[in-house]
Amino acid sequence: MLSRQASLLPIYRIQVYSKLHHREEAIKEQILSAGIPLPAEITLCDLYFLEGNLTETDLQQIAENLILDSVTESYTHQEIRAQDRVELFKGVETTFKAGVNDNVANQLLQAAYQLGVENLVAVKTGQRYQFTPEIFPETAKFLAQNFLINETIQTYTIGEISPEFNHPVPVTKEPERIPIADCDDDALMAISASRRLALNLEEMQAVQAYFQTAGVVPTDAELETIAQTWSEHCVHKTFKAKVTIQETGEKIDSIIKTYLQAATKKINAPWVRSAFVDNAGVIAFDDEVDLSFKVETHNHPSAIEPFGGANTGIGGVVRDILGVSHRPIANTDVLCFGPQDLDTEHLPEGVLHPRRIKAGVLHGIEDYGNKLGLPTVNGSVHYHLGYVSNPLVYCGCVGIGPIGSHPNDIQQGDRVIVLGGRTGRDGIRGATFSSQEMDVDTGEIAGSSVQIGDPITEKGLLEVVERARDAGLYTAITDCGAGGLSSAVGEMSADCGVQVDLQHVPLKYDGLAPWEIWLSEAQERVVLAVPEAHLPALQKLCDSYWVELSNIGFFENSGHLRVYYGETCVVDLENEFLHHGLPRHTLEASLQKPVQPSNRSGNGFKLEQMLSENEMLLALLRHPDITSKEEVIRRYDHEVRGSTIVKPFAGEHQDGPSDAAVLKPQQTKGWKGFSLANGINPHLGEVDAYGMAVSVIDEAIRNAVAVGTDPEKIAILDNFCWGNPNYPEVMGSLIQASRGCYDAAVHFGTPFISGKDSLYNEYVDESGVRRAIPGTLLISSIGIVPDVRKAITSDLKKAGNPLYLVGEWQGSTAGSHASMIDPTFFDGGENSLRFPEGAPQVYKALHQAILQGLVCSAHDLSDGGLAVTLAEMALAGRKGLTAEIDGIDADPRLGLFGETNGCLVVEVSPENQEAFEAAMQAQPYLLIGKVTGETQFVVAHDGHQLLELEISDLVQAFTQQEGQR
């Protein structure tokens, strides 16, 4: 890469100043919230570096027509000359490192060309931070490294920066040969470590034996291709492993087959179109269209570069939907962070503070989803000390497509067509990077695995794929995700064969070695198999949406994966070995008994003495897991496209929590819709992994039922995020959770249609101490709502309406939020959440009552127990209530704050009370109170008031504001 001094073309600098100061205020807030005194006022301006022979008119056109908002911004510009540079410190300047995707620069370059500025060769963007009064350079350096940039993807200088543009550099196109035939075990593992292949000794020995038999020395591209194909991220080695239970000697032959796929097979739901065999699961919606659903994780990348990690997480899961030939219509996101108030002294070396991770992740999701024009309609946010080094970022997407519109019939001679973004060095080894533990050096050595997405390019790609599908222009499709072209082309050709020429792959910049072109995970790309006769029509379609098309090879019946760079063969592998030669893992599992975890909250909620019931409820409403997520939700457009019926918020002021989202797809007839919900409970998982799995499946189902979903038409997705499965106790908890998944899915009749696992979510700190996440299972549900006009929300509707507790209440303190606030509330694990035996019948009866119009509102019992459920319904509706919990056979405090499976609170009108009770007569239910026209929230037991609060107190605690809105 050349610096500006080495460039032969002039470089111009445009500085844009805003009259608004929102970004400066956000930076100040981050600094102050970290407990650091603000040393000076900060002024921020945007920098644009333009390379080319530009006239004054060119610069003025670019600035005023493409960059500037003349109402709120002003600008200056000048040519950069080395002799004019003033070395005195006047601020901090930052830009992206060379090779990192710069979306604004890319779009500006394209727009300038359309504007007629043809001599603009390259663009780079950056920021300048000015301090008033001027501060010491050492202080500026501290602020830059901790608050202004992420050194994984950005660079900075104290003073004026020299931008690096991507210019051609010499690179050999000959592959490197790596002799492994005579390597001993230590040498094999040294190769695996030095190239970050993430292959164990048995796998390296299998690779060695293959090339010994073939009599050839492997190329760098061949080893990288095998490592990508065999990575945990791509092939799910642990979930397909043979596992022995240490305590019993029991043998388990594949978690996926034994538990997850077995549950779906046993349920055998006729409305499941596709499960576990494609980029996303597919279910029937009506007689014309199907729905697809996929949830991905982007944990390791988000730990290193939160914006890019979450950004490309959304982009990747949207491409998964394109990969089943469906149109993406809605997003979900579930996020797990470390405590936001964590003392920086307790932050491991090389780890970003949880506040920075959260800020970057939220911005990344917002940037991608909003620009694509997709609503983000459902999700949740959770906090735990275990997520400090390893945040969890679950990104989901729903799609819709005509029945039978997804082809998968590659013919010999079909062309290998790449559509979308260009290939760069970003994303190299992302699949293997996500298959290893992280440590203090991860950010430095794996920076190239981090990517920045480009939603504008993906928007054009989305339009092209949908129209190409409808025109029947391709015979198969998959997205370029982990492993890039290696993964996409390799998987598509697994049953036939392929030849590819990397010279035809369009690059963001020159200088990439063949193996880098082949393995790069650069975003916004899909691969199609296209009959040659259809290429002109596809090209015309791509031209109309400014989507680049590249013809890079053809499919054949050779049984080989062959990759060339011109005349040079860089990969020649037998598909049989590549896709079936991986030695199966053999692992051991130890089934640990439930134990009481230490310091599960980490949010400053543990107290020295027992709180009163009023204080406990308010503390729960302020708890980070329970409190309003409005600061997150309002950043995402949840109503774009006009399909969202039940939104993330409910109630008079639209600030109460909804149980699930309900959407009515615009492309469909009638009033049928679908719901999206989720269940997640890492705190319970620390105590009882089996109980967690059962509970989160129940939660994902009852959330859906609460808004009007048919419980017999719900499908679920599993996302396992765990630590290192090579430790028996970690593997044991994974087995326990998988058993819970099977038992609960079969019990409820909810088939799994897709899943994903993200393992090795551990961090080895500078002292060699392992920091693992709590085993975390996310269950996402998608279900059919027969009539969206009858969908209900969680807010109380009318004074005088009776309130019922439906379902068998079996309160537990294990993993409860009350026990995080008051440790004496936890009973040591003996009182774990019980299996919801009668819940399926309860949900079916409640659904029929909803269809009959007998229910005004409903809300499930979840975090915080009955007291929190009642409080959320009351504050959402801004209505008081009185309740008696005498009928709950438990200690009153447990009755208020114990957490349970299988229960909801339901509001009905007095005129429907008799009909409602008749509909629920065979199920457990309890009349517990009524809605009032007062402003008081009152809950009593045996004539004694346990809770007595104003609705405004509940609103203030839940929204964390200084008074009622």
Side-chain angles (χ1 to χ4, degrees):
M1 304 297 173
L2 301 181
S3 68
R4 65 174 175 84
Q5 289 91 341
S7 174
L8 300 177
L9 294 173
I11 297 176
Y12 300 87
R13 171 187 173 110
I14 297 177
Q15 296 188 164
V16 178
Y17 304 88
S18 176
K19 300 173 186 176
L20 308 176
H21 301 287
H22 302 312
R23 291 184 294 172
E24 289 96 328
E25 293 301 321
I27 294 169
K28 291 179 190 176
E29 185 178 341
Q30 285 188 44
I31 295 172
L32 293 173
S33 64
I36 298 171
L38 193 64
E41 286 298 312
I42 301 174
T43 302
L44 169 63
C45 78
D46 291 314
L47 304 178
Y48 298 85
F49 300 99
L50 312 178
E51 183 183 35
N53 289 308
L54 304 178
T55 67
E56 183 70 20
T57 300
D58 291 336
L59 292 169
Q60 186 176 348
Q61 279 204 81
I62 291 172
E64 297 180 4
N65 295 325
L66 300 179
I67 295 176
L68 196 68
D69 180 342
S70 60
V71 176
T72 62
E73 295 175 327
S74 60
Y75 79 99
T76 61
H77 71 272
Q78 72 270 359
E79 183 178 349
I80 299 176
R81 296 184 178 88
Q83 65 269 23
D84 296 336
R85 181 170 178 173
V86 178
E87 297 296 337
L88 295 177
F89 165 66
K90 290 187 177 180
V92 172
E93 294 192 353
T94 76
T95 66
F96 285 120
K97 290 182 176 179
V100 174
N101 196 27
D102 188 336
N103 285 327
V104 175
N106 295 340
Q107 294 299 319
L108 183 58
L109 188 61
Q110 180 178 344
Y113 178 79
Q114 292 175 300
L115 197 64
V117 181
E118 298 181 353
N119 291 326
L120 180 60
V121 174
V123 179
K124 195 87 171 181
T125 66
Q127 288 79 38
R128 176 177 178 82
Y129 300 89
Q130 190 79 34
F131 301 95
T132 308
E134 192 167 302
I135 59 178
F136 291 111
E138 294 78 11
T139 304
K141 180 178 179 181
F142 171 81
L143 293 176
Q145 293 175 337
N146 289 277
F147 299 101
L148 306 183
I149 72 162
N150 183 343
E151 291 187 275
T152 301
I153 61 167
Q154 292 169 295
T155 184
Y156 77 96
T157 60
I158 305 298
E160 183 182 326
I161 200 163
S162 298
E164 288 186 296
F165 292 95
N166 294 311
H167 291 292
V169 296
V171 63
T172 177
K173 300 304 181 183
E174 288 292 327
E176 178 186 357
R177 295 282 174 176
I178 303 169
I180 65 172
D182 299 323
C183 288
D184 60 17
D185 292 348
D186 290 340
L188 287 175
M189 291 311 295
I191 292 172
S192 179
S194 65
R195 298 196 69 90
R196 305 210 314 272
L197 303 179
L199 297 178
N200 64 23
L201 179 57
E202 186 180 11
E203 292 161 347
M204 287 298 295
Q205 289 171 337
V207 173
Q208 182 185 50
Y210 172 77
F211 286 107
Q212 284 175 334
T213 301
V216 297
V217 179
T219 66
D220 49 7
E222 286 171 333
L223 286 186
E224 296 284 353
T225 299
I226 294 169
Q228 169 268 306
T229 306
W230 290 8
S231 68
E232 184 73 68
H233 183 88
C234 291
V235 80
H236 314 294
K237 293 182 283 194
T238 297
F239 272 68
K240 295 178 180 177
K242 296 178 180 179
V243 184
T244 301
I245 306 299
Q246 289 181 342
E247 290 82 356
T248 65
E250 178 187 356
K251 306 289 185 182
I252 297 169
D253 186 6
S254 170
I255 290 175
I256 292 177
K257 290 194 301 185
T258 303
Y259 299 116
L260 306 174
Q261 291 179 338
T264 298
K265 185 177 180 180
K266 185 170 183 177
I267 295 166
N268 195 27
W271 41 270
V272 172
R273 304 284 197 205
S274 172
F276 296 107
V277 296
D278 219 321
N279 293 55
V282 181
I283 64 171
F285 180 74
D286 59 21
D287 294 335
E288 296 181 351
V289 299
D290 291 335
L291 296 174
S292 55
F293 193 19
K294 179 65 176 288
V295 179
E296 280 278 6
T297 54
H298 240 220
N299 305 334
H300 283 43
S302 297
I304 299 298
E305 208 304 285
F307 174 87
N311 194 250
T312 54
I314 292 291
V317 78
V318 167
R319 289 196 316 276
D320 281 329
I321 298 303
L322 292 181
V324 292
S325 301
H326 277 199
R327 171 93 189 192
I329 58 173
N331 286 339
T332 69
D333 60 81
V334 174
L335 312 173
C336 300
F337 303 118
Q340 299 297 286
D341 59 356
L342 184 73
D343 192 322
T344 54
E345 294 181 0
H346 298 149
L347 194 66
E349 182 183 346
V351 173
L352 298 175
H353 194 280
R355 279 191 305 273
R356 288 195 68 187
I357 291 177
K358 179 180 176 180
V361 166
L362 297 186
H363 187 197
I365 294 172
E366 172 190 31
D367 177 83
Y368 215 104
N370 287 4
K371 287 179 180 176
L372 272 184
L374 292 176
T376 300
V377 297
N378 183 252
S380 58
V381 186
H382 304 267
Y383 301 89
H384 191 289
L385 276 171
Y387 301 133
V388 168
S389 307
N390 290 272
L392 303 184
V393 177
Y394 301 91
C395 302
C397 188
V398 177
I400 191 168
I403 294 173
S405 62
H406 177 45
N408 186 18
D409 187 24
I410 297 174
Q411 300 296 310
Q412 184 172 1
D414 283 352
R415 304 303 300 185
V416 181
I417 302 300
V418 180
L419 300 183
R422 292 191 158 219
T423 300
R425 195 167 276 113
D426 46 323
I428 297 291
R429 296 189 176 117
T432 52
F433 162 57
S434 296
S435 305
Q436 304 176 81
E437 293 178 337
M438 296 193 297
D439 57 28
V440 293
D441 298 320
T442 296
E444 181 177 347
I445 66 175
S448 62
S449 299
V450 176
Q451 307 165 72
I452 303 297
D454 182 0
I456 304 304
T457 296
E458 186 143 306
K459 182 63 167 67
L461 187 64
L462 185 157
E463 303 298 339
V464 167
V465 169
E466 182 179 29
R467 286 156 179 78
R469 175 204 69 195
D470 292 343
L473 299 182
Y474 60 86
T475 59
I477 182 174
T478 195
D479 77 307
C480 280
L485 293 173
S486 171
S487 174
V489 178
E491 290 176 5
M492 292 178 75
S493 64
D495 296 326
C496 52
V498 73
Q499 285 194 39
V500 168
D501 187 348
L502 298 178
Q503 280 194 129
H504 301 307
V505 176
L507 305 179
K508 295 178 181 177
Y509 38 81
D510 291 334
L512 272 67
W515 78 266
E516 293 177 310
I517 300 171
W518 182 234
L519 269 294
S520 170
E521 296 177 17
Q523 296 287 303
E524 291 78 45
R525 299 178 299 165
V526 297
V527 177
L528 306 177
V530 180
E532 192 152 8
H534 294 169
L535 287 179
L538 182 60
Q539 182 67 67
K540 183 178 180 181
L541 186 58
C542 290
D543 291 344
S544 64
Y545 285 96
W546 287 76
V547 171
E548 193 162 14
L549 180 152
S550 304
N551 184 345
I552 69 169
F554 59 91
F555 293 95
E556 59 182 6
N557 291 327
S558 65
H560 276 247
L561 171 67
R562 293 192 175 102
V563 181
Y564 295 83
Y565 191 91
E567 298 298 321
T568 304
C569 182
V570 297
V571 175
D572 187 353
L573 294 170
E574 294 178 5
N575 279 335
E576 179 63 26
F577 171 73
L578 183 61
H579 296 287
H580 304 288
L582 170 67
R584 283 188 67 186
H585 279 201
T586 56
L587 299 170
E588 292 193 349
S590 176
L591 306 183
Q592 301 290 313
K593 292 184 178 180
V595 295
Q596 180 172 2
S598 59
N599 196 18
R600 289 183 292 115
S601 173
N603 288 296
F605 277 84
K606 287 195 170 185
L607 305 172
E608 298 298 325
Q609 59 186 10
M610 182 179 291
L611 293 173
S612 70
E613 284 79 6
N614 283 340
E615 292 170 330
M616 175 69 90
L617 176 57
L618 295 177
L620 283 168
L621 291 174
R622 287 191 293 264
H623 190 282
D625 286 353
I626 297 173
T627 195
S628 173
K629 305 303 187 298
E630 187 164 3
E631 58 149 339
V632 176
I633 295 169
R634 291 297 184 198
R635 296 182 64 163
Y636 309 139
D637 192 332
H638 54 264
E639 296 191 77
V640 64
R641 297 180 63 86
S643 297
T644 314
I645 305 299
V646 176
K647 304 170 178 61
F649 296 112
E652 181 180 339
H653 291 257
Q654 285 292 293
D655 58 2
S658 294
D659 290 282
V662 174
L663 293 94
K664 164 66 176 70
Q666 291 180 345
Q667 301 95 321
T668 60
K669 301 173 184 177
W671 293 104
K672 183 182 287 188
F674 69 92
S675 66
L676 294 172
N678 69 78
I680 185 171
N681 193 338
H683 305 291
L684 179 58
E686 288 184 290
V687 180
D688 181 2
Y690 176 90
M692 171 185 66
V694 171
S695 184
V696 298
I697 287 177
D698 185 13
E699 182 181 9
I701 294 169
R702 70 176 182 267
N703 276 333
V705 171
V707 297
T709 307
D710 182 350
E712 297 185 284
K713 291 287 182 67
I714 296 176
I716 54 178
L717 284 68
D718 63 88
N719 282 88
F720 289 84
C721 288
W722 245 254
N724 188 337
N726 294 306
Y727 294 102
E729 68 277 9
V730 175
M731 193 66 208
S733 68
L734 194 57
I735 293 291
Q736 293 282 53
S738 300
R739 287 175 171 173
C741 282
Y742 176 86
D743 290 346
V746 171
H747 183 63
F748 284 103
T750 50
F752 291 99
I753 58 170
S754 183
K756 189 71 175 177
D757 58 271
S758 171
L759 307 177
Y760 299 94
N761 288 283
E762 300 199 2
Y763 186 87
V764 181
D765 67 18
E766 62 273 22
S767 303
V769 176
R770 289 173 53 223
R771 299 169 180 262
I773 66 165
T776 306
L777 172 64
L778 169 68
I779 295 292
S780 303
S781 68
I782 181 169
I784 301 301
V785 178
D787 189 339
V788 297
R789 295 172 296 180
K790 296 181 179 179
I792 57 175
T793 54
S794 60
D795 50 306
L796 296 180
K797 300 300 190 297
K798 187 177 181 181
N801 285 352
L803 299 172
Y804 289 86
L805 175 64
V806 301
E808 185 182 0
W809 189 89
Q810 299 175 327
S812 167
T813 63
S816 68
H817 282 74
S819 68
M820 284 183 248
I821 294 172
D822 179 1
T824 65
F825 192 70
F826 184 74
D827 64 6
E830 296 302 320
N831 188 21
S832 187
L833 285 173
R834 283 176 278 181
F835 197 88
E837 294 288 354
Q841 290 71 41
V842 171
Y843 299 161
K844 291 173 187 176
L846 178 59
H847 177 63
Q848 291 303 313
I850 292 172
L851 286 181
Q852 295 171 42
L854 305 179
V855 177
C856 299
S857 69
H859 195 27
D860 84 309
L861 267 66
S862 184
D863 298 345
L866 176 60
V868 168
T869 296
L870 291 170
E872 288 177 341
M873 296 178 77
L875 69 89
R878 296 299 198 272
K879 290 178 173 57
L881 64 79
T882 60
E884 291 273 353
I885 62 170
D886 297 14
I888 297 177
D889 185 19
D891 173 83
R893 196 171 177 88
L894 180 62
L896 286 176
F897 306 118
E899 298 181 6
T900 182
N901 291 322
C903 287
L904 304 93
V905 171
V906 175
E907 174 192 6
V908 302
S909 61
E911 58 269 25
N912 289 328
Q913 189 168 358
E914 183 176 345
F916 176 78
E917 292 182 358
M920 301 296 297
Q921 62 179 346
Q923 309 305 325
Y925 70 87
L926 180 66
L927 178 63
I928 61 170
K930 67 177 181 179
V931 183
T932 70
E934 308 299 324
T935 62
Q936 286 81 35
F937 177 86
V938 179
V939 181
H941 179 272
D942 196 22
H944 173 67
Q945 288 189 351
L946 302 174
L947 294 169
E948 185 176 9
L949 292 161
E950 291 290 318
I951 298 300
S952 59
D953 296 331
L954 305 180
V955 173
Q956 183 176 343
F958 183 72
T959 60
Q960 310 233 1
Q961 294 191 6
E962 296 299 324
Q964 186 174 1
R965 291 191 291 175

